[in-house]
Amino acid sequence: MTTGLIPGGQTPDPRPSSTRPPHQRGDLTGQGALHVDDRPRSSVITARAAASFEPVGRSVATARSFVRDTLQGWGFADIIDDAVVLTSELVTNAVVHAGTHADVLCLRSADGVRIEVSDRYPEREIPLQGSLATMGSPDREGGRGLQLCAAIAGRWGVEYTPTHKQVWFQLDLPDRPVGTRTAGPSLPADLLPLADSRVRVAVVQIDRTGAISAWNEDAEELFGYSADQVTGKPLTDLAAWPHTPGTSTGIVEALQLSRWEGSYGIRGANGRVTPVYASHLRVRDTDGDPSTVCLLVRDHERAVLQTPSRGPASDPATTSDGQNTDPFEVFIGSPAPDDLDGLLQRTVERARDMLDGDSAFLLLATDDETELEVRASTGLPSARQRFARVPVEAGPGRYGSARMPAVHEDLLAVPGAVPLLNGTGMRSVVTVPLKVEGRLTGSLGVAAEASGRYSNEEALRLQFAADRIALAVESARLGELERLRRGSLSFLVEASDLLAGTLDRDQTLALMAQMTVPTLATWCAVYTIADQASDPYLSYVLHEDEEFIDGIKSLLSKIAPPDPVPTPGARVWAAPAAAAHDAALRSSMRSLGLTGGPTHQVASGIGPTLATASAVGGETVVLPLVARNRVIGMLTLGKPTDEHFRQEILELAEDLSRRAALALDNARLYSERTAISQALQRSLLPPELPEIDGVEVEVIYRAAGEGNEVGGDFYDVFPISDGAYGFAIGDVCGTGPNAAAVTGLARHALRLLAREGLSGPAVLERLNSAILDEGARSRFLTLLYGEMRPQEDGSAELKVVCAGHPLPLRLRQDGTVEAAAEPQPLLGVMEDLELYEQTVTLDPGDVLLCVTDGVTERREGTRMLGDDGLADVLTTCTGLTAGAVAARIMRAVERFASDAPSDDMAILAMRVA
């Protein structure tokens, strides 16, 4: 959009005399041709403002803002709404329906405003026959512009030239009674603000010390205090100020301001807080002492005090005493003080208008004053330039430094003098620094398409404006930085909590990507490095639009990964954007049938589409993931085409990458440790259970603790000699790896000693000696060991030794349950043990159940399953297979208590078929 503002004087009619005469407001009820307005336009034009809008949808909103700001500055608040509605419809017809640029011209005269909207589609004429009422329908998207002109404007018309079609309308200023400053339109009753039958306005005056010096009757009625009760008391004793975290403004500060409006509460005599809307005005009495007048109404009646914002009634470039003021100073201040983006955008627009330029830009300096970052621009491709960075010192001499004002009469003579304007068509430019207390905080520039437009005089004017706005810009920038830092701290705290909550590598990778997209970047890729000799591997890709993820993976897989440089900070990686550009070019050429050459061959597989190429075509940065002085990966962040990263975002991403690197390395170490632990634990379990003719064998094992496959409980069933099998189930004191070490010793020693032909008591006595030989590392052990020999009659003969272990239970076919052995001393406590074995014969259908104490000592509060409870469950297992018996026992144990088991559990069931 390009605009110009020419205050004062009489502007000649820009249209040729041969054009068609304008049309007058028509009669919507009759048929026939449009009326002709042949009245001469003799009014003196005192100001004009022009703007050009591109044929894109967002131009309609921009045109509305342009007209609203222009009329607001001229003091024509009464006709703003009508002008904005008509402009919106006409610009929509031009840029959306006609598809051309729209030129908007605002002309100010003593009796009203004339607005002209031109498009570049002259052959698209309006209908000259029929009623205007048939020109558009309320259900149609367009076509209502002329109807609205006929209904709202005082005069309107359509004119044609060989290259333009122009629709104009004029709005006359309403007659105001003498002394009226502003007036609003007549409104229906249901749109008027609500108020009580008796609107009370409390008038309270506060002296220079903050104490109440005046209190009117309405204040007494609203709050219940008489004037005598409150006079001399500080207002802070009555005010319930809404303290907002992070702000320092309070009632005391508000009373010191020249003007203030806002809401707070007043504590009444009944102790309740009445919400009020207040308007404060700082005044001086006849003695010159300052005081504050406060007008208070109930908060829901704020319309009594609030009035719509309005511009000055006179020319904004002239004050009430006739002195000229700088138009740049008059305008700045309409954005909120903390609205940095709004302040910067208004600044560049007014700077462009002040010097009648075609474009303008404003850059803010980084903290170290080495680079400038584009924060606002107009007349330039802002999407491409926003947050782009240029060095402060671009070259030798004053014209290469942003610290001094500079005027370039023709950029073609000095290519690259202003990198921001490369390829934009701008020829002349003036730039000035923004400084606060001698420190460079930014740079403001205005450019034109013609050469030689600016001289030192324009540079002085622009520098004068920059000096006035520099402090406000720096204050708003510091406020934005403070909010960003608070948000960054909150973000990093949340990120740290999430990363610390998992030790799973894949989940950590996913969290890293999900925290950066879309908060910090549009897309993200994480490369990991297994060891120093390995190449980076693409481990995770995420885009805010899931449809692009596969395409980005394909694109990144076809280019070399970034170098694993340990240098901290973000560095630009140009390879993805270049690859995206090449892929888009190849795709376009293939669609045109130009793929015959070898350089135009498209790789097989999932080729990146044009949309994918656009998604990764912007700035891409790489941050190293460094943990324990080793690069373990790279975090890659990307933007879509022509977008850049803010410096604050890169600093936040660097902080996040350090935390993510440590979390990822911890997950790697934990995964390695878990894998080693699980491999060692699996080696303590029997490789498989043997097949025993005529006997069913089933084992269920549950180790306590996360990630443990083996603890202090163990079992084993193994062949000893022809027709004989050994079985064992034991419990080492404790759980975890230390108990598992004794488990390994016991299980392997049992196999070796049993295969030497030793009897059961001899095997356990030697195992007892081996455990005691471990010294301080030894742990006592309960063990049930036995030998089984299937008999020819279908029964099985067992020889059992129960060394301190829960007794095995025998289930007969008739449902009776009995102990199958007697208790004897446990192992690992005494050196001299006298053990003996007992012989048990299992008939066909009988079941022998062996468990560890994790089963019998299962607790729920003060209740314990115990031996009797286990026997009761076993009596219900008559006729079940060994596997079904073991499963029923385990279900009963799990249901006995709601908490997770705190001890290892092993169940060995053997049934004679």
Side-chain angles (χ1 to χ4, degrees):
M1 182 185 78
T2 57
T3 66
L5 179 64
I6 307 176
Q10 182 173 357
T11 304
D13 188 355
R15 296 173 299 282
S17 61
S18 61
T19 60
R20 299 184 183 182
H23 298 104
Q24 190 183 12
R25 178 175 181 173
D27 185 0
L28 295 180
T29 61
Q31 303 284 337
L34 303 174
H35 294 278
V36 176
D37 177 18
D38 55 1
R39 288 177 290 178
R41 293 185 299 145
S42 58
S43 300
V44 175
I45 297 174
T46 58
R48 57 174 282 170
S52 180
F53 303 93
E54 298 178 353
V56 294
R58 63 177 181 272
S59 295
V60 179
T62 310
R64 288 196 295 263
S65 299
F66 164 71
V67 172
R68 182 180 297 277
D69 292 343
T70 300
L71 300 188
Q72 187 77 40
W74 289 348
F76 293 161
D78 307 76
I79 59 175
I80 283 178
D81 293 337
D82 291 344
V84 168
V85 169
L86 296 179
T87 303
S88 179
E89 286 293 330
L90 296 179
V91 173
T92 300
N93 292 338
V95 303
V96 176
H97 302 300
T100 74
H101 283 71
D103 300 322
V104 179
L105 175 65
C106 301
L107 302 175
R108 182 183 70 182
S109 62
D111 55 354
V113 172
R114 175 187 173 104
I115 298 179
E116 302 174 353
V117 179
S118 303
D119 64 43
R120 302 171 190 179
Y121 195 180
E123 60 271 17
R124 182 169 178 167
E125 298 187 3
I126 64 170
L128 296 180
Q129 302 295 331
S131 171
L132 281 176
T134 64
M135 291 172 55
S137 167
D139 297 329
R140 295 180 54 194
E141 182 179 355
R144 297 189 298 267
L146 299 181
Q147 280 185 312
L148 290 175
C149 288
I152 297 176
R155 284 182 291 166
W156 67 278
V158 182
E159 301 179 1
Y160 293 91
T161 69
T163 59
H164 290 74
K165 180 186 74 181
Q166 182 183 91
V167 181
W168 64 271
F169 61 89
Q170 181 162 330
L171 298 174
D172 298 328
L173 293 177
D175 295 332
R176 297 178 179 175
V178 176
T180 300
R181 176 61 185 267
T182 185
S186 299
L187 295 177
D190 57 346
L191 296 181
L192 297 175
L194 292 174
D196 293 341
S197 58
R198 169 73 164 89
V199 177
R200 298 187 181 275
V201 180
V203 181
V204 182
Q205 190 157 1
I206 312 299
D207 62 21
R208 66 189 306 167
T209 66
I212 298 173
S213 58
W215 185 268
N216 72 341
E217 293 181 359
D218 280 356
E220 294 182 9
E221 292 293 332
L222 284 176
F223 310 123
Y225 298 107
S226 65
D228 294 338
Q229 290 178 294
V230 296
T231 301
K233 291 185 177 180
L235 182 63
T236 53
D237 291 350
L238 307 180
W241 188 263
H243 292 285
T244 302
T247 63
S248 59
T249 303
I251 185 66
V252 176
E253 290 80 5
L255 292 174
Q256 299 299 320
L257 300 177
S258 60
R259 285 183 180 272
W260 185 89
E261 286 191 25
S263 297
Y264 52 87
I266 296 292
R267 295 185 181 89
N270 58 4
R272 296 181 179 179
V273 175
T274 301
V276 297
Y277 188 83
S279 176
H280 297 176
L281 178 64
R282 191 78 164 159
V283 297
R284 286 187 301 165
D285 58 20
T286 54
D287 297 330
D289 292 331
S291 63
T292 302
V293 177
C294 305
L295 304 181
L296 312 176
V297 297
R298 284 186 286 255
D299 192 61
H300 66 274
E301 295 175 338
R302 66 174 57 191
V304 176
L305 297 184
Q306 254 186 344
T307 58
S309 58
R310 54 186 180 270
S314 60
D315 188 351
T318 307
T319 60
S320 58
D321 58 1
Q323 297 180 353
N324 291 331
T325 59
D326 187 65
F328 194 78
E329 182 186 25
V330 172
F331 177 80
I332 294 303
S334 57
D338 58 349
D339 180 14
L340 178 61
D341 289 335
L343 179 62
L344 299 183
Q345 191 61 37
R346 297 291 182 95
T347 300
V348 296
E349 290 173 359
R350 288 305 173 231
R352 175 201 58 197
D353 296 344
M354 188 174 65
L355 298 187
D356 194 20
D358 296 313
S359 64
F361 50 89
L362 194 149
L363 302 87
L364 295 183
T366 56
D367 292 338
D368 57 2
E369 297 185 28
T370 59
E371 287 186 316
L372 295 167
E373 188 176 66
V374 180
R375 291 300 303 269
S377 65
T378 181
L380 297 174
S382 57
R384 175 172 65 88
Q385 304 292 351
R386 187 166 169 81
F387 301 125
R389 290 175 293 280
V390 297
V392 171
E393 307 294 343
R398 60 166 293 185
Y399 293 106
S401 174
R403 302 181 186 276
M404 299 290 291
V407 177
H408 295 276
E409 296 183 353
D410 191 352
L411 292 177
L412 294 182
V414 189
V418 184
L420 189 65
L421 301 180
N422 291 343
T424 61
M426 300 297 158
R427 294 282 299 276
S428 56
V429 61
V430 53
T431 61
V432 297
L434 274 68
K435 293 185 177 181
V436 175
E437 297 179 352
R439 182 173 58 87
L440 179 68
T441 60
S443 176
L444 176 64
V446 178
E449 295 179 353
S451 60
R453 285 281 298 276
Y454 302 115
S455 63
N456 287 339
E457 181 181 354
E458 283 79 12
L460 289 175
R461 291 183 60 198
L462 188 61
Q463 184 66 70
F464 181 69
D467 292 342
R468 295 190 174 193
I469 198 62
L471 185 59
V473 169
E474 180 66 5
S475 177
R477 186 184 75 89
L478 292 176
E480 181 190 65
L481 286 178
E482 181 61 25
R483 289 190 297 273
L484 283 175
R485 289 188 177 115
R486 288 200 299 265
S488 299
L489 290 175
S490 176
F491 172 79
L492 290 174
V493 168
E494 183 179 359
S496 299
D497 289 342
L498 290 173
L499 291 171
T502 179
L503 288 172
D504 181 81
R505 177 183 176 276
D506 294 337
Q507 188 174 0
T508 301
L509 290 173
L511 284 175
M512 290 170 56
Q514 292 167 5
M515 285 185 294
T516 57
V517 176
T519 304
L520 305 182
T522 305
W523 63 273
C524 167
V526 182
Y527 290 85
T528 57
I529 303 174
D531 52 58
Q532 297 293 342
S534 301
D535 294 328
Y537 174 76
L538 182 62
S539 298
Y540 202 91
V541 174
L542 184 65
H543 191 279
E544 61 182 6
D545 187 343
E546 294 181 356
E547 295 181 357
F548 292 120
I549 293 178
D550 291 337
I552 296 176
K553 283 183 180 178
S554 175
L555 182 68
L556 295 179
S557 65
K558 292 177 173 61
I559 61 178
D563 295 331
V565 179
T567 305
R571 68 181 192 278
V572 177
W573 185 30
H581 175 77
D582 294 343
L585 179 62
R586 290 196 301 268
S587 178
S588 299
M589 298 187 69
R590 183 174 64 174
S591 65
L592 297 174
L594 302 177
T595 58
T599 60
H600 301 149
Q601 297 298 326
V602 181
S604 59
I606 304 177
T609 63
L610 293 176
T612 303
S614 176
V616 300
E619 187 176 41
T620 303
V621 297
V622 178
L623 298 105
L625 298 175
V626 181
R628 298 174 176 89
N629 298 322
R630 187 175 73 88
V631 180
I632 63 172
M634 285 87 70
L635 179 64
T636 303
L637 307 180
K639 287 281 190 179
T641 299
D642 297 334
E643 290 195 19
H644 300 266
F645 285 98
R646 295 184 60 175
Q647 186 63 34
E648 295 84 2
I649 295 297
L650 294 180
E651 294 173 358
L652 179 58
E654 184 178 356
D655 287 339
L656 176 63
S657 68
R658 288 194 291 266
R659 290 165 170 79
L662 188 58
L664 183 61
D665 197 47
N666 288 338
R668 176 187 63 83
L669 295 174
Y670 178 78
S671 298
E672 293 178 355
R673 193 205 73 174
T674 301
I676 294 172
S677 176
Q678 290 176 348
L680 292 174
Q681 291 181 52
R682 281 193 297 269
S683 69
L684 303 179
L685 295 175
E688 60 183 6
L689 296 177
E691 294 285 343
I692 303 177
D693 292 338
V695 179
E696 299 173 2
V697 179
E698 182 64 30
V699 174
I700 296 179
Y701 186 88
R702 296 286 188 273
E706 183 181 358
N708 292 328
E709 294 187 14
V710 174
D713 292 6
F714 68 96
Y715 68 91
D716 200 359
V717 181
F718 54 92
I720 298 176
S721 59
D722 295 340
Y725 295 86
F727 65 91
I729 182 169
D731 183 3
V732 178
C733 174
T735 60
N738 293 330
V742 179
T743 296
L745 171 64
R747 195 179 71 81
H748 292 296
L750 284 176
R751 286 199 172 205
L752 291 174
L753 296 173
R755 287 172 179 171
E756 291 293 328
L758 298 175
S759 63
V763 169
L764 268 59
E765 290 169 1
R766 284 168 172 77
L767 175 59
N768 180 63
S769 300
I771 294 174
L772 293 175
D773 289 342
E774 291 293 310
R777 295 182 300 174
S778 66
R779 290 169 177 260
F780 63 82
L781 167 67
T782 67
L783 178 64
L784 172 65
Y785 174 74
E787 295 180 0
M788 174 187 294
R789 292 182 181 271
Q791 304 298 311
E792 294 181 358
D793 59 359
S795 63
E797 183 183 77
L798 281 67
K799 294 182 178 181
V800 182
V801 180
C802 185
H805 198 77
L807 300 180
L809 298 179
R810 175 182 180 178
L811 173 63
R812 296 184 182 273
Q813 295 186 63
D814 58 3
T816 59
V817 175
E818 61 183 7
E822 297 177 353
Q824 300 184 58
L826 51 76
L827 307 181
V829 178
M830 300 180 294
E831 294 185 359
D832 297 327
L833 289 180
E834 295 182 1
L835 302 175
Y836 58 93
E837 61 184 8
Q838 297 174 273
T839 301
V840 180
T841 300
L842 296 181
D843 297 327
D846 289 354
V847 175
L848 184 70
L849 177 65
C850 310
V851 300
T852 59
D853 60 4
V855 174
T856 57
E857 295 179 2
R858 178 74 162 143
R859 293 180 180 275
E860 174 68 18
T862 59
R863 297 169 51 241
M864 187 171 68
L865 180 61
D867 297 333
D868 295 338
L870 179 62
D872 292 340
V873 177
L874 185 58
T875 57
T876 65
C877 299
T878 305
L880 299 182
T881 63
V885 171
R888 178 169 294 186
I889 298 298
M890 179 55 70
R891 284 197 302 272
V893 172
E894 291 174 344
R895 293 173 180 173
F896 187 80
S898 58
D899 296 338
S902 59
D903 195 5
D904 305 327
M905 292 187 295
I907 300 174
L908 172 61
M910 295 183 292
R911 178 179 179 273
V912 179

